[in-house]
Amino acid sequence: MTKKSILLIEDNADDETLTLRAFRKCGIACQITVARDGAEALEFLSENGGGHADLVLLDLKLPKMNGIQVLERLRSDERTRELPVVIVSTSNYERDISACLALGVHGFLQKPVECHELAKMIGDSY
Amino acid sequence: MGQERKILVVDDNEAVCALLSKLLGDKGYLVTTVVDGASAFQALALNEYQLILLDLILPDTSGIEILRRIRQEERPTDIVMMTSNASIETALEAMRLGAQDYLLKPFKDLDMVLRVVQKTMEKRLLIAENDRLYSELREEKQKLELAVNRLALLNAIGHALHSILNVKDLLHMLVKLVADELIAQRVSLMLIDKETQELTIESAVGFDKGLIHDIRVPVGMGVAGWVAKEGQAVIVEDINDDPRFAKQHKRPYTSDSFICAPLVLCVPIMLKQEVIGVINVNNKTQGGVFSEDDLQFVATLASQASLAIANARAFEQLRETNQNLQREIGEKTRAEDKVKELNAQLEERVAERTAEMETAYQELEAYDYSLSHDLRAPLSRIIGFSKAVLEDFAEQLDPEAADYVGRIYDSGRQMFQLTDAVLKMSQLIHDQLLRETVDLSAMARSIGDELVAGEPVRQVEIVIVPGLTAWGDSRLLRMVLQNLLSNALKFTAKKERARIEFGARRSAATTVYYLRDNGAGFDMAYADLLFKGFERLHSNDEFPGIGIGLASVQRIVKRHGGSVWGEGEVGLGATIYFTLKGDMEHDKKEHPSH
């Protein structure tokens, strides 16, 4: 089983710790890259960035460019159009959910990220 | 009479002359005798004779010749020829030439002579009489024609005057008529200025333009003033001769003066026994004097004019009133427009307010949203980390420490749920109210059944008044009933038989819904704390749960335009009352009998 490459776009250190712990607990074999904001993430995924991701975990509340805007950018670039994106957020707000659904997401995970839910989500993406 | 009985006898026989003279003289005729033609013409030159007895044969000429000449000269005289038997043909010829008759000489029958003379004279008299009658008749006819014409004219004028409603035009037409009909040099119509008691010229013909405006005649002065004062019409042939005016009038007659000639006709214009003016007529351009007919004509016109003036004044009055009315209507319309404008402004302000409110709502909703989110982020970490400690360090943890961490986790979860509720509620509240007829009874029944099913051990009686409807947002009203019923159920937990009632009290103005329970109740002293979210009237140990329910209920009810309040008695129970606006209007539509 090849290691999956996961891109986690998260700006908060505590949330990052909890999410990475969830990955450890699940025992999911993957390589995780963390980007602190939208720009970093897009840079990573671009031609020159040399980065590759099989799955993106996207926080909605980000500095400068918010999660929805990042998603829009991903979907407008043909290289990242089909890239599976899972929204990780504290929000269960209808408006945010429908906006994401419109752009096309793989799923939602509510913080704090539960191990089994994470495993299910990652497992599903294969 | 004497003039009509002159006879001229032309005969060279003096005896005949004498005979005829005696014969006819006795009968009262005036007889003149001559013996030849020349004398005859001499006599004719001096006098007019009604009858000439003419001998056919005369020394200087023939009777025929004389006859011819007389007839040529067209003298109005009858001629009787005197002839003897021998010249009867001549006599007949004479008759053809114009002689009336002939007498045969010698006169055998004097009576016959007389008869002929008398007959001829009578005929003449009759003819003269005829002529006289005829010319009299013609005179009368002319007078009549004039009168008829004037009458017709007056009639037409009358009609015209009554249809001309502009007083100025009316008076102008009038003076022109008088001037034309009477062939007068000057005509002026004057009206009395009530304040100054002076006559001023309203309209005139035959004056120099500038003169008209300056003339002011005090009532009582001059002909016009006299007529205005006395109210009587006059014809004055010479002002200087008339004792009524002579003293006053010393000026010479010029075109500059008001009266330009001694001949004046003046007539008062009366309105309801009061003199309102006069019509002056000065001088006849073709000479002559004003007749009684003229006076009558002008007087008739004056009375026509006064009626028409009164008419026209009345009309002016009416028009003024109409204008006033129009102005009032105009003002009223302007006032109405003003009201409309204010109304529009008001509506505009209402719209503005509504928009402001919407904005405020949105801001509130955004606030709720960001607040909840801001709370949820750290909360999620509290939950996450406390759980992580419990899971990852379970063996290392002291049981007491594990207990404390567990409590941290519980609190975190509780708060998380709270923010969820706030967020959900905020969303629902913000969305536009979708009003429809909601069957509250059915809704309460289904919620109640669900809640009771979740507590199978307890004895719960839920009494719901059937047929309760409301005009409101179904989802939000569901939340209200859910909150109220679950509260009621919660607070009756300690009672053996819980009794929960849901009903409504209808009044003319509004419907008050109530939810009553026989539970723990509350102290009325703390009634205002009921709806302040996050405060609790009972400790968590007594009744666990989130105390946000009533605050949400209040928000929803307020959104509907209603209000909510509560009554309670410690140990006996509590009743929550609420109203929803818009109900009554809707109800009236559904149940008009109410």
Side-chain angles (χ1 to χ4, degrees):
Chain A
M1 192 159 60
T2 42
K3 253 195 195 174
K4 291 298 156 189
S5 163
I6 313 250
L7 174 64
L8 170 65
I9 312 175
E10 172 64 66
D11 68 312
N12 184 275
D14 296 329
D15 289 342
E16 184 197 324
T17 308
L18 285 169
T19 306
L20 291 176
R21 174 184 169 273
F23 270 105
R24 275 202 311 276
K25 266 208 87 185
C26 292
I28 303 169
C30 52
Q31 177 178 356
I32 303 171
T33 314
V34 180
R36 287 256 173 269
D37 59 42
E40 244 184 73
L42 292 168
E43 172 65 28
F44 176 76
L45 291 169
S46 71
E47 272 180 28
N48 312 333
H52 167 75
D54 295 313
L55 179 77
V56 173
L57 290 174
L58 176 60
D59 178 23
L60 284 183
K61 196 155 174 281
L62 294 168
K64 295 171 214 161
M65 214 190 303
N66 70 37
I68 306 274
Q69 286 166 328
V70 173
L71 187 56
E72 277 171 357
R73 293 280 275 266
L74 288 174
R75 289 292 172 250
S76 60
D77 188 338
E78 58 175 23
R79 269 175 300 124
T80 53
R81 192 164 294 155
E82 303 299 320
L83 188 56
V85 175
V86 173
I87 305 290
V88 179
S89 182
T90 52
S91 172
N92 60 351
Y93 208 53
E94 214 175 274
R95 261 204 247 126
D96 295 333
I97 293 172
S98 54
C100 297
L101 284 174
L103 290 162
V105 292
H106 186 72
F108 289 91
L109 281 174
Q110 201 177 58
K111 291 187 198 175
V113 175
E114 295 278 337
C115 181
H116 57 275
E117 283 175 10
L118 181 66
K120 211 156 133 284
M121 202 63 72
I122 307 278
D124 271 356
S125 72
Y126 287 103
Chain B
M1 245 338 244
Q3 300 212 326
E4 294 164 13
R5 299 171 75 86
K6 287 214 185 101
I7 301 178
L8 178 68
V9 178
V10 185
D11 200 322
D12 57 342
N13 190 330
E14 281 181 22
V16 170
C17 290
L19 174 66
L20 287 172
S21 186
K22 180 123 193 339
L23 179 68
L24 299 171
D26 285 349
K27 288 295 171 186
Y29 294 107
L30 293 172
V31 186
T32 312
T33 61
V34 293
V35 295
D36 55 45
S39 327
F41 282 109
Q42 260 175 20
L44 283 168
L46 292 168
N47 273 310
E48 242 188 56
Y49 294 92
Q50 279 66 51
L51 178 66
I52 305 175
L53 295 173
L54 184 56
D55 189 13
L56 259 179
I57 298 162
L58 287 165
D60 53 354
T61 180
S62 74
I64 296 284
E65 273 310 311
I66 297 176
L67 172 63
R68 269 212 192 99
R69 206 170 133 192
I70 290 174
R71 282 292 171 248
Q72 249 172 18
E73 285 173 12
E74 287 180 12
R75 289 175 187 269
T77 181
D78 292 325
I79 302 171
V80 171
M81 309 302 291
M82 294 189 288
T83 180
S84 64
N85 241 332
S87 47
I88 284 210
E89 286 82 14
T90 324
L92 290 172
E93 193 195 327
M95 283 186 75
R96 274 200 302 275
L97 287 168
Q100 263 60 50
D101 213 334
Y102 69 95
L103 283 166
L104 270 179
K105 283 203 289 190
F107 301 130
K108 292 231 176 88
D109 184 353
L110 288 177
D111 279 334
M112 201 175 79
V113 172
L114 216 56
R115 267 203 310 277
V116 169
V117 169
Q118 278 173 337
K119 197 174 78 183
T120 313
M121 290 294 272
E122 264 168 37
K123 214 154 110 189
R124 168 131 299 270
L125 274 168
L126 278 170
I127 289 173
E129 184 69 18
N130 240 20
D131 280 343
R132 194 181 59 78
L133 284 171
Y134 181 72
S135 74
E136 244 181 56
L137 199 70
R138 201 168 50 187
E139 221 180 278
E140 286 301 304
K141 185 163 169 247
Q142 274 174 354
K143 268 189 167 171
L144 203 70
E145 268 177 11
L146 186 72
V148 168
N149 275 344
R150 281 203 172 163
L151 211 67
L153 190 66
L154 281 172
N155 206 27
I157 290 165
H159 278 289
L161 284 177
H162 283 287
S163 65
I164 293 176
L165 293 167
N166 179 312
V167 182
K168 279 211 173 312
D169 293 345
L170 182 157
L171 299 180
H172 191 74
M173 184 186 160
L174 215 138
V175 291
K176 214 173 163 298
L177 275 166
V178 172
D180 289 345
E181 200 43 38
L182 266 54
I183 316 171
Q185 187 177 345
R186 277 187 183 176
V187 180
S188 58
L189 188 146
M190 308 177 92
L191 293 178
I192 298 180
D193 180 341
K194 274 200 159 163
E195 281 168 22
T196 62
Q197 283 296 295
E198 284 176 331
L199 290 157
T200 55
I201 297 186
E202 277 302 311
S203 49
V205 291
F207 283 81
D208 295 334
K209 269 280 159 65
L211 197 59
I212 297 175
H213 299 287
D214 298 333
I215 291 172
R216 303 187 81 85
V217 178
V219 170
M221 194 151 105
V223 179
W226 186 91
V227 169
K229 186 150 171 244
E230 303 296 322
Q232 274 180 46
V234 287
I235 300 177
V236 182
E237 287 183 31
D238 193 338
I239 298 182
N240 290 325
D241 276 352
D242 197 313
R244 295 172 291 189
F245 320 111
K247 292 190 290 235
Q248 297 164 20
H249 205 275
K250 300 229 169 74
R251 278 170 295 180
Y253 302 114
T254 63
S255 66
D256 281 356
S257 57
F258 180 39
I259 306 290
C260 66
L263 176 65
V264 175
L265 181 153
C266 188
V267 153
I269 305 174
M270 310 288 288
L271 183 62
K272 291 185 194 159
Q273 269 101 44
E274 198 191 312
V275 182
I276 62 167
V278 297
I279 300 180
N280 289 303
V281 191
N282 200 198
N283 210 23
K284 269 190 179 271
T285 51
Q286 288 169 9
V289 291
F290 294 121
S291 66
E292 280 298 314
D293 280 341
D294 291 337
L295 189 90
Q296 198 52 50
F297 178 69
V298 179
T300 311
L301 265 185
S303 67
Q304 288 272 33
S306 95
L307 283 172
I309 290 173
N311 239 22
R313 282 183 181 171
F315 180 75
E316 293 282 352
Q317 187 87 311
L318 214 74
R319 192 168 44 190
E320 207 184 298
T321 312
N322 196 27
Q323 277 176 352
N324 285 344
L325 231 92
Q326 296 269 36
R327 210 185 326 117
E328 267 175 54
I329 290 172
E331 282 171 4
K332 197 154 171 242
T333 312
R334 274 195 293 279
E336 277 176 10
D337 286 343
K338 189 101 210 197
V339 170
K340 268 192 212 151
E341 204 189 301
L342 287 171
N343 261 359
Q345 281 180 8
L346 208 75
E347 277 180 24
E348 228 183 274
R349 241 174 257 152
V350 169
E352 271 172 40
R353 269 297 145 89
T354 312
E356 274 173 34
M357 263 178 71
E358 280 303 316
T359 315
Y361 258 122
Q362 284 182 14
E363 284 175 2
L364 207 71
E365 192 246 331
Y367 180 74
D368 278 344
Y369 176 82
S370 65
L371 186 70
S372 302
H373 272 266
D374 290 347
L375 287 173
R376 282 162 84 84
L379 272 175
S380 71
R381 287 156 217 154
I382 291 172
I383 295 167
F385 281 112
S386 53
K387 187 145 177 266
V389 165
L390 288 172
E391 286 174 1
D392 296 354
F393 300 98
E395 292 113 58
Q396 285 104 311
L397 265 182
D398 203 71
E400 214 181 329
D403 176 40
Y404 288 170
V405 174
R407 291 188 206 214
I408 293 172
Y409 175 79
D410 286 339
S411 290
R413 268 246 90 83
Q414 192 179 333
M415 235 186 122
F416 207 74
Q417 280 170 21
L418 209 71
T419 59
D420 245 355
V422 170
L423 220 55
K424 213 176 282 181
M425 244 269 299
S426 180
Q427 205 171 309
L428 277 174
I429 293 269
H430 168 262
D431 288 347
Q432 192 146 49
L433 225 57
L434 288 167
R435 287 202 194 237
E436 57 181 323
T437 308
V438 180
D439 185 346
L440 289 178
S441 301
M443 194 183 267
R445 180 94 267 149
S446 81
I447 295 169
D449 289 345
E450 226 181 276
L451 289 170
V452 167
E455 309 240 8
V457 179
R458 288 178 55 184
Q459 282 194 18
V460 182
E461 190 189 351
I462 303 185
V463 181
I464 297 171
V465 172
L468 294 174
T469 57
W471 179 246
D473 187 305
S474 164
R475 296 170 308 164
L476 291 177
L477 289 177
R478 178 169 281 274
M479 283 186 80
V480 167
L481 289 178
Q482 249 162 1
N483 268 306
L484 295 178
L485 282 165
S486 63
N487 268 2
L489 207 68
K490 191 162 61 191
F491 288 107
T492 53
K494 294 229 174 96
K495 284 276 160 82
E496 251 197 59
R497 288 186 78 82
R499 185 183 159 87
I500 300 171
E501 283 173 50
F502 176 58
R505 270 204 314 259
R506 257 206 179 88
S507 76
T510 187
T511 303
V512 181
Y513 305 93
Y514 61 84
L515 193 102
R516 185 169 293 133
D517 68 64
N518 63 346
F522 59 89
D523 188 346
M524 280 301 281
Y526 301 107
D528 24 306
L529 293 179
L530 260 183
F531 299 98
K532 291 196 153 78
F534 309 111
E535 302 269 358
R536 287 170 55 79
L537 295 170
H538 301 276
S539 69
N540 204 20
D541 292 328
E542 285 181 84
F543 298 103
I546 306 164
I548 196 174
L550 287 176
S552 310
V553 167
Q554 189 177 54
R555 244 173 119 176
I556 293 170
V557 162
K558 275 200 169 152
R559 189 85 163 88
H560 280 77
S563 54
V564 61
W565 65 99
E567 277 170 18
E569 228 183 303
V570 177
L572 289 175
T575 309
I576 305 293
Y577 299 95
F578 68 90
T579 57
L580 304 163
K581 216 184 191 185
D583 256 17
M584 288 322 289
E585 287 83 20
H586 178 74
D587 274 353
K588 277 192 188 122
K589 279 191 227 159
E590 300 264 304
H591 312 282
S593 56
H594 283 282

